[in-house]
C-alpha cells in the first residue's frame, strides 16, 4: 500500500496485483474500499490522513486538497461540520464529487504545497476556497480574521487571491476583507463591535492601532481607539473567564494604558449583540469622560495592511 496504507486499485494492478486478489482481500476483511477505485489496509474506518490520501488518489494526478481540510493541516480552524474534503483538479479532468470528496475543476490549478506527504493548495487559496463556500458571515469572518491575526497571511494577499480566482461566492468575503479586516478588525467579536460603533453615532475609531508615548515607548495595541479624546475600547474575549494568565495579562494591559492617561472601556463580546443599547450608552459615557480630560500625547500607528495604511 502507499501513503498511510492507502492505494489506488489501478496502481496495485500496475504492480501486478490482479483485481480479483484485491476483491478477495476486501471480502476477507484484510482491506477496505475507501472511495471508488481506492482501497486501504485493514477493515477499520479510515483515519483522517487516510481519507485525505484517498481523496487525492481518487481525484488523480496534480490534484490538491483545499478548503477546510487544508486549513486544518496549516494549523488553522476547519469550519466544516461535515468533514468533507475539497479537492481542486485541472479543468480538463473528468471527475465528479463522491462520498466525502468535493471535486472542483479550475483553470487556475495551484502549485502544491506538500505537508506530511499530502499535496495542499497554498494557504491563501485554501482560505479563499473555504470562504467562497460559506453563506454564514461569522464563519467567513472567523476564517479570514484567524489567518490574518495569526500572521499567516495579509489582507492584501487575500484580496489578490479573491480577485484572481472564480468570482462565485466572493461577495461576502470581499465585503469582510474590505470593510472589516481592511480597516483593522481582527476577530469576529471586533466585527460585531464595528457594527455597533456604526450605529452609535460616536466619532470615528481606529481598529487595532499600536499606541506609543512621545519617546517611542510602546504602550499597547487597543482593540479600538478614539484618537480625538484618548479612549481605548477593549473587547474582552470569553476565554479570559477561564484562563487566568490571559486575564492577568489583560489587567496589566489595562493598567498600563491608564497609567498614560487613557480612559479604557471594556465590553464582553456577548453584550455586543444581546445588549446593544446599553453598550452604546456605556461607550458614550466613557467617551464623555475621556473628553473631559486632557487628551494624552501619543503616537498612534494604524494596524498593518489596513485601507488607511
Amino acid at each position: 500500500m502507499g501513503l498511510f496504507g492507502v492505494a489506488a486499485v489501478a496502481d496495485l494492478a500496475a504492480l501486478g496485483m490482479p483485481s480479483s486478489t484485491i476483491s478477495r482481500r476486501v471480502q476477507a476483511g484484510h482491506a477496505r474500499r475507501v472511495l471508488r477505485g481506492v482501497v486501504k489496509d485493514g477493515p477499520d474506518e479510515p483515519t483522517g490522513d487516510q481519507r485525505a490520501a484517498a481523496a487525492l488518489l481518487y481525484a488523480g494526478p496534480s490534484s490538491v486538497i483545499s478548503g477546510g481540510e487544508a486549513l486544518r493541516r496549516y494549523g488553522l480552524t476547519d469550519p466544516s461540520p461535515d468533514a468533507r474534503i475539497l479537492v481542486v483538479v485541472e479543468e480538463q479532468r473528468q471527475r465528479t464529487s463522491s462520498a466525502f470528496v468535493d471535486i472542483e475543476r479550475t483553470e487556475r490549478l495551484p502549485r502544491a504545497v506538500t505537508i506530511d506527504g499530502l499535496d495542499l493548495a497554498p494557504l491563501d487559496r485554501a482560505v479563499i476556497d473555504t470562504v467562497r463556500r460559506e453563506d454564514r458571515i461569522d464563519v467567513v469572518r472567523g476564517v479570514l480574521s484567524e489567518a490574518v491575526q495569526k500572521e499567516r497571511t495579509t489582507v492584501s494577499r487575500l484580496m489578490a487571491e479573491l480577485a484572481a480566482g472564480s468570482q462565485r461566492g466572493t461577495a461576502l468575503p470581499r465585503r469582510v476583507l474590505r470593510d472589516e479586516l481592511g480597516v483593522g478588525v481582527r476577530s469576529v467579536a471586533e466585527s460585531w463591535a464595528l457594527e455597533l460603533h456604526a450605529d452609535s453615532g460616536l466619532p470615528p475609531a481606529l481598529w487595532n492601532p499600536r499606541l506609543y508615548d512621545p519617546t517611542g515607548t510602546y504602550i499597547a495595541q487597543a482593540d479600538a481607539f478614539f484618537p480625538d479624546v484618548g479612549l481605548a475600547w477593549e473587547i474582552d474575549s470569553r476565554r479570559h473567564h477561564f484562563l487566568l494568565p490571559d486575564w492577568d495579562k489583560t489587567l496589566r494591559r489595562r493598567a498600563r494604558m491608564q497609567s498614560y492617561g487613557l480612559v479604557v472601556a471594556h465590553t464582553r463580546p456577548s453584550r455586543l449583540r444581546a445588549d446593544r443599547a446599553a453598550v452604546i450608552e456605556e461607550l458614550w459615557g466613557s467617551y464623555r469622560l475621556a473628553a473631559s480630560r486632557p487628551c494624552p500625547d501619543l503616537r498612534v500607528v494604524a494596524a498593518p495592511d489596513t485601507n488607511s495604511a
Side-chain angles (χ1 to χ4, degrees):
M1 290 289 183
L3 183 65
F4 303 121
V6 178
V9 172
D11 292 339
L12 294 176
L15 293 174
M17 181 179 290
S19 58
S20 58
T21 301
I22 298 172
S23 297
R24 283 196 300 270
R25 287 182 56 80
V26 171
Q27 292 170 3
H30 301 306
R32 177 175 181 145
R33 296 191 188 278
V34 184
L35 290 163
R36 188 170 67 250
V38 183
V39 295
K40 62 172 284 294
D41 279 330
D44 49 313
E45 288 285 338
T47 65
D49 287 339
Q50 289 174 328
R51 283 162 52 94
L56 288 172
L57 288 172
Y58 170 77
S62 302
S63 59
V64 295
I65 293 173
S66 191
E69 177 70 17
L71 293 187
R72 184 174 66 81
R73 293 179 180 278
Y74 279 116
L76 299 175
T77 302
D78 177 1
S80 307
D82 53 7
R84 296 187 65 80
I85 298 177
L86 172 66
V87 183
V88 180
V89 302
E90 56 192 358
E91 181 69 28
Q92 296 77 18
R93 179 70 48 79
Q94 297 301 310
R95 184 66 79 187
T96 59
S97 300
S98 178
F100 55 85
V101 179
D102 290 328
I103 298 291
E104 179 173 284
R105 295 193 295 274
T106 180
E107 296 178 354
R108 294 180 60 247
L109 187 66
R111 177 175 296 181
V113 176
T114 303
I115 296 179
D116 295 331
L118 297 169
D119 287 344
L120 310 181
L123 186 139
D124 292 347
R125 176 66 174 267
V127 169
I128 296 303
D129 280 347
T130 300
V131 296
R132 282 199 302 106
R133 288 164 174 76
E134 279 291 343
D135 57 8
R136 298 169 292 173
I137 188 168
D138 282 346
V139 174
V140 173
R141 286 166 167 165
V143 171
L144 295 173
S145 62
E146 181 186 25
V148 174
Q149 177 68 21
K150 290 184 175 180
E151 299 183 344
R152 303 298 301 278
T153 187
T154 66
V155 177
S156 297
R157 282 169 47 186
L158 291 173
M159 287 291 286
E161 177 62 40
L162 192 69
S166 168
Q167 295 305 291
R168 186 175 68 251
T170 60
L172 194 54
R174 183 180 298 108
R175 170 186 148 195
V176 172
L177 283 169
R178 182 191 63 225
D179 299 338
E180 298 180 14
L181 274 71
V183 300
V185 166
R186 293 295 182 263
S187 72
V188 175
E190 289 175 12
S191 291
W192 299 344
L194 181 71
E195 291 177 334
L196 182 142
H197 173 261
D199 294 336
S200 71
L202 283 157
L206 301 175
W207 296 88
N208 282 290
R210 291 178 173 85
L211 309 178
Y212 299 84
D213 75 5
T215 69
T217 299
Y218 176 73
I219 301 172
Q221 181 172 324
D223 292 338
F225 183 66
F226 295 84
D228 56 330
V229 296
L231 169 64
W233 185 20
E234 297 289 276
I235 312 302
D236 292 333
S237 170
R238 284 168 288 187
R239 67 185 180 135
H240 292 155
H241 297 293
F242 302 101
L243 300 177
L244 185 59
D246 284 338
W247 182 240
D248 287 342
K249 183 178 179 181
T250 295
L251 293 179
R252 291 195 300 270
R253 186 157 156 258
R254 177 193 303 178
R256 182 170 176 80
M257 286 192 285
Q258 290 173 333
S259 72
Y260 280 88
L262 293 166
V263 173
V264 184
H266 287 259
T267 304
R268 294 195 311 274
S270 60
R271 297 189 65 220
L272 294 167
R273 311 200 98 179
D275 206 9
R276 288 173 58 87
V279 171
I280 289 174
E281 183 178 352
E282 293 164 9
L283 198 54
W284 265 109
S286 297
Y287 182 87
R288 287 190 290 268
L289 175 61
S292 71
R293 302 178 176 185
C295 188
D297 183 13
L298 301 176
R299 184 166 66 91
V300 182
V301 179
D305 203 29
T306 63
N307 293 336
S308 60

